[in-house]
């Protein structure tokens, strides 16, 4: 992708700010609405951590903390709770027994998959009510939103 020139990038900074705020507000509100569709008994941070481990495979606590953008002590507490509830297991590293990798259990796989199905079904229903032009525009923005969220 070609880089924009400084003139193109700064063409309408005030409108860009307003649009960025509208995007932030819409994403925040949509995320809240999606969270309300599923009550898994876990916090959004815990579900996010499980989803990250499920997507990226077994990982160290440090890698998980970095991926989730939280402090290592916070990840340690979260992992302790998720392990106690049966959602993750720790696997000692084969070369350094002081290091563990966490992976999701079958219970977590089922819970995350069900939450994903429920949220996706709800989102599809909402999208069906949009005009075709808006649906297409929304779907064409997925790559950009994933890039902003660090998912690419």
């Amino acid at each position: 992708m070609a880089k924009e020139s400084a003139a193109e990038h700064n063409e309408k900074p005030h409108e860009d700010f307003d649009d960025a705020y509208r995007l932030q507000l819409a994403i925040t509100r949509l995320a809240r609405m999606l969270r309300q569709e599923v009550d898994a008994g876990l916090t959004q941070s815990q579900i996010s951590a499980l989803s990250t481990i499920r997507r990226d495979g077994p990982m160290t606590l440090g890698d998980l903390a970095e991926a989730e953008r939280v402090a290592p002590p916070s990840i340690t507490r979260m992992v302790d709770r998720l392990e106690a509830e049966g959602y993750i297991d720790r696997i000692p590293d084969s070369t350094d027994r002081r290091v563990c990798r966490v992976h999701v259990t079958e219970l977590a796989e089922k819970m995350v998959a069900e939450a994903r199905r429920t949220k996706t079904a709800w989102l599809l229903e909402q999208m069906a009510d949009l005009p075709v032009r808006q649906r297409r525009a929304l779907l064409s923005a997925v790559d950009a939103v994933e890039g902003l969220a660090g998912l690419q």
Side-chain angles (χ1 to χ4, degrees), residues 131-144:
V132 172
R133 180 185 59 77
Q134 286 182 338
R135 241 187 348 258
R136 286 186 183 141
L138 183 61
L139 293 173
S140 71
V142 171
D143 285 342

Side-chain angles (χ1 to χ4, degrees), residues 72-135:
S74 297
I75 276 296
T76 299
R77 285 190 300 274
M78 183 185 306
V79 165
D80 288 346
R81 178 165 178 225
L82 290 170
E83 185 178 31
E85 294 184 16
Y87 290 110
I88 61 169
D89 286 325
R90 296 177 200 235
I91 306 166
D93 188 88
S94 60
T95 59
D96 184 349
R97 304 300 275 177
R98 296 170 296 171
V99 176
C100 287
R101 297 187 187 287
V102 291
H103 73 96
V104 294
T105 63
E106 187 63 30
L107 177 64
E109 287 283 357
K110 289 177 182 175
M111 188 274 301
V112 170
E114 181 57 30
R116 180 180 177 190
R117 275 192 296 280
T118 301
K119 289 178 181 184
T120 301
W122 179 86
L123 188 56
L124 281 170
E125 283 181 32
Q126 306 313 302
M127 289 170 59
D129 292 338
L130 293 174
V132 172
R133 180 185 59 77
Q134 286 182 338
R135 241 187 348 258

Side-chain angles (χ1 to χ4, degrees), residues 35-48:
R35 276 193 306 272
Q36 292 170 348
E37 289 302 306
V38 175
D39 180 16
L42 298 174
T43 68
Q44 186 58 36
S45 296
Q46 292 166 330
I47 292 171
S48 178

